[in-house]
Amino acid sequence: MTEQTASFVRQQIAEPRRAPVRTTGVIGFARERLFNSPLNIMITLIGAALLWLILVPAVKFLFVDAVWHGSDRNACLEANAGRVVGACWPFVQAKFDQFIYGFYPEDQRWRVNLTFALGALLLLPLLIPRAPAKALNSGLFFAAYPVIGFFLLRGGGLKGFAIHWLADLGSGLASSFQDAGARLASTAIVGPLGQGLSFVGRLVGWIGDGLAILIWPVEWLRDYIERFQSPLWTDLAATAIIVSLLMFFLTGGFRNGWRALFKSIAIFAGIAAVIVVMGLDKGGLPIVDTRSWGGLLVTLVVSVTGIVASMPVGMILALGRRSTIPLIRVFSIAFIEFWRGVPLITVLFFATYMLPLFLPGNFTVDGLVRVLIGIALFAGAYNAEVIRGGLQAVPRGQAEAASALGLSYWKTTGLIVMPQALRNVIPALVNSFIALFKDTTLVLIVAIFDLLGQLRASFADPNWATPTTLFTGFAFTGMIYFVFCFGMSRYSLFVERRLNVHKNV
């Protein structure tokens, strides 16, 4: 017996189905993210209302009702304009040079422009992953550019080189230790405390005597060099010979040291070329005191120097806090907790008015340099904790595997552990950099006029005293700060995606 199956044949055309819900494009994004639930619909409507209340008046003030042309305050007064006046952009045009250069001499502002251009030309290839010659570019940006930028912005020339500097520094340190030891040893306090201070004073004095003995050959060489007709070039040549020979013998001598020797000679040849081109042996460019600097120039100098200088400080402190040597660990912890325990304003006051008291001998430090030192140490303490968090996130097996392969501690840290740690903390580091860039406005407290300081100084001009001048100036500076901070944020996201930080497990 066979089974028979019944077949069904449709006699009419099937009804057309509805098109699938669109999930791509603007409509799909709105349906999936903004209107996919009653709660999201309510939040979207509230957000749209808030944006309407904020953006429409802002756009109207900045562009629609703004004044674009004028030579004084009369153009931005409602009584003269006959209408509601928004942003007073002629004020920004009139004060633009002050916002960028501060009180830098007008005939010397080409030096600032050249410094900005050199910085951009050296920085952009570092930010492009596929750009060639990264090592050479890094050396030029982090080593050569700060020196060239200093002599471009400040001016002046060189009177000595490494041997002179080492001799002067050693002499100052030796004399400072000897004076401090003599004062402690001659204390009038009686009892155990007086004996302890006397012993510490003698110990400090012995350290000063030891430094004086060690530095004596360098001082003799400096005095001998000063007898020549061109002491700067003689000093440079002597320094080049000593350093090149040390590099040659420390890196393998006649077997493997030739490459280091040629690199050292090339570096000193480049230094000599810079000295000739900039005329540093003949007094250099006219000196512009840092008290004349201001505006965006000071903001970039303080922020970039603080960011670059705080990174090695933070890495050293982070490694020191994880060290197994008690003295190093205790010092690192004390340093980090001290600088994190005081506000930045206190640090700026301390660096400006108290740092000279701790310098050896007759050493004097420029006011802006003091601020740079304080900000670098302050930011370094914060970066240390961020980097330490990244070091703790690296599995212990990474260091153990490197040790099993025979790598030393420094090679393990520099090649294996630290790169992974820094990759893990890119968002936190960039967040610190953005905060530091905005905190540079606090230098106004110690009479250094950055971008915001120059803006506040420009409000004192009675020729531009209008009801909208204040809001226009702050809107302009706010745009500048937003561009820099948003740029750092977006580039950090690009680096994260390229290194697959978001996929790291």
Side-chain angles (χ1 to χ4, degrees):
M1 183 176 180
T2 60
E3 295 182 0
Q4 296 181 355
T5 58
S7 61
F8 175 77
V9 178
R10 182 182 292 273
Q11 300 296 328
Q12 298 177 351
I13 298 177
E15 294 292 334
R17 297 181 181 179
R18 297 181 60 183
V21 177
R22 189 173 182 180
T23 58
T24 59
V26 178
I27 297 176
F29 175 83
R31 180 180 287 115
E32 291 292 327
R33 301 292 182 88
L34 303 179
F35 302 101
N36 60 340
S37 67
L39 179 60
N40 274 3
I41 294 174
M42 182 179 66
I43 295 175
T44 301
L45 295 177
I46 294 175
L50 291 176
L51 289 176
W52 179 267
L53 294 176
I54 295 174
L55 291 180
V56 171
V59 171
K60 189 176 180 181
F61 174 81
L62 294 175
F63 302 105
V64 178
D65 295 333
V67 177
W68 298 94
H69 304 285
S71 57
D72 56 18
R73 63 189 296 268
N74 294 324
C76 300
L77 294 176
E78 295 183 6
N80 297 331
R83 60 180 177 84
V84 177
V85 174
C88 183
W89 292 115
F91 161 73
V92 175
Q93 298 173 11
K95 301 294 183 180
F96 183 79
D97 288 345
Q98 182 179 344
F99 295 157
I100 302 300
Y101 307 104
F103 303 108
Y104 208 91
E106 187 173 355
D107 60 335
Q108 299 293 325
R109 288 176 180 173
W110 63 269
R111 293 154 57 175
V112 181
N113 298 333
L114 181 58
T115 304
F116 287 164
L118 287 176
L121 289 176
L122 292 176
L123 181 61
L124 286 177
L126 289 178
L127 301 181
I128 301 174
R130 296 184 179 180
K134 279 289 193 295
L136 176 61
N137 199 0
S138 300
L140 292 175
F141 182 77
F142 292 108
Y145 177 68
V147 178
I148 296 175
F150 171 80
F151 284 107
L152 273 177
L153 295 176
R154 185 183 180 275
L158 281 173
K159 296 181 179 179
F161 205 69
I163 292 177
H164 273 76
W165 301 338
L166 182 60
D168 293 340
L169 179 61
S171 301
L173 288 174
S175 61
S176 297
F177 275 105
Q178 290 170 351
D179 294 342
R183 286 195 298 267
L184 289 174
S186 61
T187 180
I189 300 177
V190 298
L193 179 59
Q195 295 177 358
L197 290 177
S198 178
F199 173 76
V200 172
R202 290 195 297 270
L203 182 61
V204 172
W206 293 338
I207 295 175
D209 295 338
L211 287 174
I213 295 173
L214 291 175
I215 207 67
W216 177 82
V218 183
E219 290 180 342
W220 176 86
L221 186 58
R222 177 197 59 187
D223 297 337
Y224 181 75
I225 286 173
E226 289 178 350
R227 301 176 185 177
F228 288 88
Q229 186 176 0
S230 300
L232 173 61
W233 291 106
T234 308
D235 192 2
L236 177 63
T239 305
I241 292 173
I242 294 173
V243 173
S244 299
L245 289 177
L246 287 175
M247 294 295 295
F248 176 72
F249 288 109
L250 291 177
T251 55
F254 292 95
R255 176 175 297 181
N256 299 319
W258 297 103
R259 187 173 183 180
L261 177 64
F262 292 144
K263 281 186 177 180
S264 178
I265 294 175
I267 291 173
F268 281 100
I271 294 173
V274 171
I275 292 175
V276 172
V277 171
M278 299 185 65
L280 300 181
D281 56 335
K282 301 177 182 179
L285 298 171
I287 295 178
V288 179
D289 193 82
T290 55
R291 288 174 292 184
S292 300
W293 300 11
L296 184 63
L297 168 63
V298 168
T299 298
L300 292 179
V301 168
V302 174
S303 59
V304 173
T305 305
I307 290 172
V308 174
S310 65
M311 277 301 295
V313 173
M315 288 190 287
I316 293 173
L317 291 174
L319 294 174
R321 188 157 188 171
R322 290 165 52 89
S323 175
T324 57
I325 303 175
L327 182 61
I328 297 177
R329 185 174 64 255
V330 171
F331 173 80
S332 301
I333 293 174
F335 186 95
I336 292 172
E337 297 303 330
F338 171 78
W339 289 99
R340 289 202 308 164
V342 294
L344 182 56
I345 294 178
T346 304
V347 173
L348 295 177
F349 272 109
F350 178 86
T352 302
Y353 301 111
M354 296 188 66
L355 181 62
L357 302 177
F358 297 90
L359 295 177
N362 297 324
F363 271 56
T364 58
V365 179
D366 184 82
L368 181 59
V369 177
R370 301 175 201 170
V371 169
L372 295 178
I373 294 173
I375 290 179
L377 296 178
F378 181 84
Y382 279 86
N383 290 342
E385 289 300 280
V386 173
I387 296 173
R388 187 169 69 93
L391 291 173
Q392 291 179 343
V394 178
R396 186 177 178 180
Q398 298 287 315
E400 293 176 349
S403 179
L405 292 175
L407 297 182
S408 64
Y409 170 80
W410 295 110
K411 288 186 177 181
T412 301
T413 302
L415 300 176
I416 306 298
V417 178
M418 188 60 72
Q420 297 183 65
L422 294 179
R423 188 185 70 166
N424 292 334
V425 295
I426 287 176
L429 281 178
V430 175
N431 185 61
S432 299
F433 296 160
I434 292 175
L436 177 61
F437 183 82
K438 294 184 292 185
D439 287 342
T440 55
T441 57
L442 295 176
V443 299
L444 180 61
I445 301 296
V446 290
I448 296 178
F449 292 87
D450 68 325
L451 177 59
L452 198 60
Q454 291 293 342
L455 173 65
R456 296 179 66 88
S458 66
F459 292 152
D461 187 356
N463 294 326
W464 292 101
T466 67
T468 60
T469 299
L470 179 70
F471 303 102
T472 305
F474 280 114
F476 174 71
T477 55
M479 293 177 186
I480 294 178
Y481 278 103
F482 176 79
V483 168
F484 279 97
C485 296
F486 185 73
M488 286 190 285
S489 174
R490 299 305 301 177
Y491 185 76
S492 70
L493 292 177
F494 164 74
V495 174
E496 289 178 41
R497 294 192 185 98
R498 185 171 180 274
L499 299 178
N500 292 326
V501 176
H502 60 290
K503 297 180 180 179
N504 189 26
V505 295

